[in-house]
Amino acid sequence: MNFLCKIVCLALCLFSCFHSKAEKTILLVSGWQDVNIGDIAHTPGLIHVLNRFVPEANVILWEKSTSDYVDELIQKHYPQVNIIHGKIDENLNIDNQEVYEAFDKADIMIHGSGPSVVGLPHLEAWLKHTKGKPFGIFGVTVEKMDDRLKNVLSKASFVYTRETQSLDFLRKHGITGPTVAFAPDATFYLDIRDEQKTKEFLYENRLKPKEYICVIPRLRITPYYKIANRQAWSMNRVMEIEQYNNVYKQEEHAKLRNCIVEWVRKTGKKVVVCPEMTYQVDIMDELLVDSLPFDVKPYVVKHGYWMPDEAASLYSQACVVLSMDCHSPIIACANGTPFFYFRQPEDTSKGQMYYDLKFQDWIFNIAEVGSGSIISSLFEVTNNYDSATEHIACEMNAITEIYRNACDIIRMLLKL
């Protein structure tokens, strides 16, 4: 009889767990654009955070932008996540009934990591149609404030900025409290890979694990007019950006070219030139490959635009990732690979997160640093590789604790 009671109790416990999971739902607003693997990576990164620290909850993903191949990426790695879309009009009404159904089902809305609160209308629609359900913001940069944003932030159950400059900015505007805190960009928790594609790429290009470096170029001002909505850009503005980028692009990328030359000549190992954004595929040759010495060029291979799972796989096998863009170093870090991030003066305060996480020795102001310092730092890392990877592991443990503490608030709001 005691044995039977134990079986019944166990069954009831299991039923309770599954029933609790079905009752708790998070509506995640994310997916800002698909021309940047960093912007794509925010979403799977935060899904992983929620799956790890709030495993009892289901996740519905309300994507801000529509992209079939991003949907396929999410479904491939997270088939349990339901993806919905819906446009919002000026009255905060939505053109898809699925969104309203998600509003009814969800216990909380979370705005994912990003360059700002780009899903502000989504949060406003949530406030209008749910009338009191909690919401929060996880890992954003905030550099501008207006009454509309301040109204929403003042009602949030939590606001986590991805670096401390944004945190200071919010405090100056009266957004304070114990749940206004630092939580790094969710890309630090990207856990998806495409090992098969990387295996094929390594084989085709005769690359050996941990015996190549990756190099990512970037222009000072992103030429979005080459990517989408060309008609929205005036010819004067296009020429202005082109002229501005032309002033700096050769001088700054020469520093990366010098690194490539030294790496190849001193080690006899290869270099992969790869993109973080779509437009960078078109500038690789001009800025990183064409002017390399004839003895170095055969050691350089190029990769086309890709998804973050494939980038994560290739970066995980790299020795070091050197990037002018912000999120490839984060993807490398998430996979235990040392990285250098070269900041440009036009970069937002998102770069502050590297200092907040004690990676200051691996971040450089590209306008000020010389090639010699970069090369010296590169070989210092490779010559003390165990120390570098231990440093990453230590900071990733710290990031894990930050995410855990942040999710404790979400668990409390969900009454878990």
Side-chain angles (χ1 to χ4, degrees):
M1 189 67 179
N2 287 339
F3 176 74
L4 181 59
C5 287
K6 289 180 180 179
I7 294 295
V8 171
C9 289
L10 178 60
L12 288 172
C13 180
L14 290 172
F15 174 78
S16 175
C17 288
F18 286 118
H19 186 61
S20 173
K21 181 178 175 66
E23 285 184 340
K24 304 301 179 183
T25 300
I26 296 170
L27 178 57
L28 171 61
V29 177
S30 191
W32 318 126
Q33 60 178 350
D34 60 8
V35 296
N36 182 326
I37 62 171
D39 282 344
I40 297 170
H42 296 316
T43 304
L46 188 47
I47 291 172
H48 180 213
V49 171
L50 296 173
N51 282 351
R52 176 163 181 181
F53 299 113
V54 198
E56 303 91 337
N58 296 315
V59 175
I60 298 173
L61 172 61
W62 184 7
E63 280 193 324
K64 185 175 184 293
S65 64
T66 301
S67 170
D68 289 341
Y69 52 83
V70 173
D71 286 358
E72 290 172 5
L73 176 79
I74 299 299
Q75 292 290 274
K76 172 185 173 182
H77 295 285
Y78 300 104
Q80 77 280 13
V81 172
N82 181 30
I83 302 174
I84 60 175
H85 302 94
K87 294 181 180 179
I88 307 167
D89 67 20
E90 59 185 11
N91 296 314
L92 302 178
N93 295 315
I94 304 152
D95 65 1
N96 186 351
Q97 183 60 33
E98 278 189 309
V99 177
Y100 289 115
E101 292 171 0
F103 279 6
D104 290 337
K105 186 176 183 181
D107 301 282
I108 189 173
M109 174 185 275
I110 298 176
H111 183 293
S113 291
S116 62
V117 188
V118 290
L120 181 58
H122 299 66
L123 298 174
E124 291 174 321
W126 172 264
L127 282 168
K128 174 182 176 180
H129 295 288
T130 65
K131 302 187 186 305
K133 286 187 179 182
F135 71 94
I137 295 167
F138 200 111
V140 299
T141 289
V142 184
E143 295 181 308
K144 297 179 181 179
M145 183 67 68
D146 57 24
D147 291 341
R148 182 181 169 195
L149 177 57
K150 188 170 184 178
N151 176 60
V152 170
L153 294 180
S154 66
K155 296 175 182 176
S157 299
F158 57 87
V159 179
Y160 298 134
T161 66
R162 61 181 175 176
E163 27 65 33
T164 56
Q165 275 185 243
S166 290
L167 199 58
D168 292 339
F169 179 81
L170 289 180
R171 287 170 180 158
K172 289 177 182 177
H173 285 83
I175 308 297
T176 61
T179 57
V180 179
F182 166 55
D185 193 307
T187 303
F188 278 104
Y189 242 47
L190 185 74
D191 72 330
I192 58 175
R193 294 185 184 179
D194 191 329
E195 302 287 26
Q196 184 57 38
K197 282 187 178 179
T198 296
K199 182 179 179 181
E200 292 169 1
F201 183 80
L202 295 181
Y203 177 77
E204 290 168 2
N205 294 281
R206 298 182 180 180
L207 295 165
K208 296 180 180 179
K210 295 299 176 183
E211 293 194 7
Y212 62 89
I213 61 173
C214 293
V215 182
I216 297 94
R218 184 182 186 272
L219 297 174
R220 283 209 175 188
I221 300 178
T222 302
Y224 278 107
Y225 48 85
K226 293 183 177 181
I227 298 171
N229 299 323
R230 173 63 183 85
Q231 65 277 9
W233 295 79
S234 70
M235 183 58 68
N236 286 341
R237 179 56 179 156
V238 170
M239 290 180 62
E240 188 178 289
I241 293 173
E242 292 278 348
Q243 290 171 0
Y244 187 82
N245 283 334
N246 286 341
V247 170
Y248 301 102
K249 65 182 185 181
Q250 287 295 342
E251 176 187 354
E252 292 178 349
H253 286 83
K255 299 172 183 180
L256 296 187
R257 292 196 299 270
N258 290 338
C259 286
I260 292 172
V261 171
E262 287 298 306
W263 171 260
V264 170
R265 287 179 174 171
K266 285 188 176 181
T267 69
K269 297 174 182 178
K270 292 193 172 185
V271 177
V272 179
V273 176
C274 47
E276 185 167 311
M277 291 192 70
T278 52
Y279 83 90
Q280 292 162 357
V281 175
D282 298 326
I283 64 173
M284 288 177 182
D285 286 331
E286 177 192 2
L287 299 182
L288 292 178
V289 180
D290 286 349
S291 59
L292 290 173
F294 73 92
D295 62 314
V296 173
K297 280 186 182 180
Y299 291 85
V300 178
V301 298
K302 295 180 290 185
H303 200 295
Y305 188 63
W306 45 5
M307 288 289 97
D309 57 347
E310 188 177 356
S313 294
L314 191 71
Y315 294 165
S316 74
Q317 299 287 345
C319 180
V320 184
V321 171
L322 289 73
S323 179
M324 297 264 281
D325 228 327
C326 183
H327 280 85
S328 286
I330 298 176
I331 296 172
C333 182
N335 286 276
T337 298
F339 58 85
F340 291 170
Y341 170 39
F342 303 101
R343 291 191 73 184
Q344 296 166 314
E346 294 73 19
D347 289 348
T348 69
S349 59
K350 64 186 177 183
Q352 175 63 34
M353 75 178 98
Y354 288 97
Y355 298 104
D356 295 331
L357 297 170
K358 300 179 183 178
F359 288 122
Q360 61 271 9
D361 291 342
W362 296 349
I363 184 169
F364 304 89
N365 186 328
I366 193 63
E368 298 176 2
V369 69
S371 297
S373 295
I374 300 171
I375 293 166
S376 176
S377 296
L378 173 61
F379 285 104
E380 182 178 350
V381 166
T382 58
N383 292 334
N384 300 279
Y385 205 71
D386 288 344
S387 176
T389 56
E390 286 171 9
H391 179 51
I392 291 174
C394 179
E395 295 313 311
M396 285 302 300
N397 286 336
I399 291 168
T400 293
E401 288 309 304
I402 294 172
Y403 287 156
R404 188 192 309 278
N405 292 334
C407 286
D408 282 345
I409 302 299
I410 297 172
R411 295 181 64 83
M412 181 189 70
L413 293 165
L414 291 173
K415 297 181 173 61
L416 290 171

